[in-house]
Amino acid sequence: MSGLSVFPDGGFAFLRGVFPYSQGVVAASGFAIERARFAEPLPLASGFQFIAAYLERLGRPKTALCACELRSPKPFSFDGFADFNRGYVAVLEDWGLFREGVNPVARSNVAPVLDPPRAPSFHAFSYTVPREGSPTTFVVAGSGEWPEGGKFPDDIVARNDTSEAGMRAKTSIVLDTMERRMRGLGGFTWKNASAVQVYTGYPFPVEDVVRRAGPGLEWNYCRPPIEGLDFEMDVRGLSTELVLRS
């Protein structure tokens, strides 16, 4: 697993990302990643409480949490997003996940265009369980058309352009990012994906996504988490997914 950082307390490895999240996670040998989706969004604090109790029932530590999918009322300003992330990461630090400035937990955080939650909420989460002999499972964190390491907002691809050409340019760079992260997690390709999720409130070149990612596309009528971004994707390759009622 060249280029990966191992997180033995969680049973997974991760690609280093930025302060709020890693670029993606992959199950370690002897473990598998499972995903649980809430039937209805659960406010952030209640969601963390639910997840802690859920993992305890499974006999898993809090450090088994490896990916979060969040829903927000609307896109944040750049500074507002930073404020939100500080509170979110403080919980991960308390759980023993965020250590020495490094965050191993992958994340997507988007804002539904219709019927958004009143406050930032959990949509789903992923965690590791012991399992021998299963195919390697992974989750790629969400990413939009702002290149990693780029200046915000100057380096946003096709900034303020939601025309057909603009959305095609945004889609292309995000597809590139997903492919790069899948390779980094263990040489995965689109054929290893169980779900390919797109988040945008605008028409986008579906054919461009399907040609590269295959027919398993899921479009979520949501906006990326920061004002100025228009297109986001995440990818996962899992064999077990559950729906939970809180």
Side-chain angles (χ1 to χ4, degrees):
M1 290 197 264
S2 177
L4 290 170
S5 297
V6 178
F7 190 72
D9 291 350
F12 63 92
F14 65 97
L15 285 174
R16 287 200 180 199
V18 289
F19 170 74
Y21 42 80
S22 70
Q23 296 181 52
V25 294
V26 61
S29 177
F31 291 87
I33 296 173
E34 295 184 348
R35 176 179 183 262
R37 176 175 65 82
F38 292 108
E40 298 290 340
L42 198 59
L44 205 66
S46 299
F48 272 121
Q49 291 174 359
F50 184 101
I51 293 168
Y54 180 82
L55 292 174
E56 184 176 12
R57 288 196 300 272
L58 293 180
R60 299 294 292 141
K62 292 178 181 177
T63 50
L65 177 68
C66 61
C68 298
E69 297 174 52
L70 308 183
R71 296 291 184 267
S72 294
K74 63 181 182 178
F76 293 89
S77 67
F78 189 75
D79 290 339
F81 193 57
D83 290 341
F84 168 79
N85 286 328
R86 281 190 285 271
Y88 165 81
V89 170
V91 178
L92 300 185
E93 186 171 21
D94 182 63
W95 283 24
L97 284 156
F98 184 84
R99 301 175 184 177
E100 298 179 353
V102 178
N103 193 339
V105 180
R107 194 181 83 187
S108 296
N109 183 2
V110 294
V113 176
L114 300 175
D115 299 323
R118 294 181 179 180
S121 301
F122 269 98
H123 172 70
F125 63 98
S126 297
Y127 54 93
T128 60
V129 294
R131 186 173 301 155
E132 295 288 348
S134 64
T136 305
T137 44
F138 67 92
V139 177
V140 175
S143 184
E145 73 272 27
W146 172 29
E148 294 167 353
K151 186 178 179 181
F152 189 90
D154 307 65
D155 293 336
I156 294 174
V157 172
R159 182 183 174 192
N160 298 324
D161 182 1
T162 55
S163 68
E164 181 178 350
M167 294 304 292
R168 177 159 281 116
K170 296 171 188 289
T171 300
S172 178
I173 190 171
V174 175
L175 284 165
D176 289 346
T177 299
M178 296 295 102
E179 291 177 355
R180 182 170 61 252
R181 290 179 176 182
M182 283 193 290
R183 287 195 302 270
L185 286 171
F188 299 113
T189 69
W190 297 110
K191 292 182 179 180
N192 302 114
S194 60
V196 177
Q197 298 194 113
V198 162
Y199 307 96
T200 185
Y202 296 98
F204 65 98
V206 175
E207 66 278 7
D208 290 6
V209 179
V210 173
R211 285 194 187 106
R212 288 175 66 172
L217 171 66
E218 299 177 8
W219 176 35
N220 296 260
Y221 193 36
C222 298
R223 294 171 289 182
I226 306 176
E227 295 172 348
L229 299 178
D230 300 307
F231 187 87
E232 182 164 331
M233 289 183 72
D234 62 31
V235 182
R236 61 183 183 269
L238 305 178
S239 57
T240 301
E241 302 200 18
L242 311 169
V243 178
L244 303 177
R245 300 190 182 277
S246 58

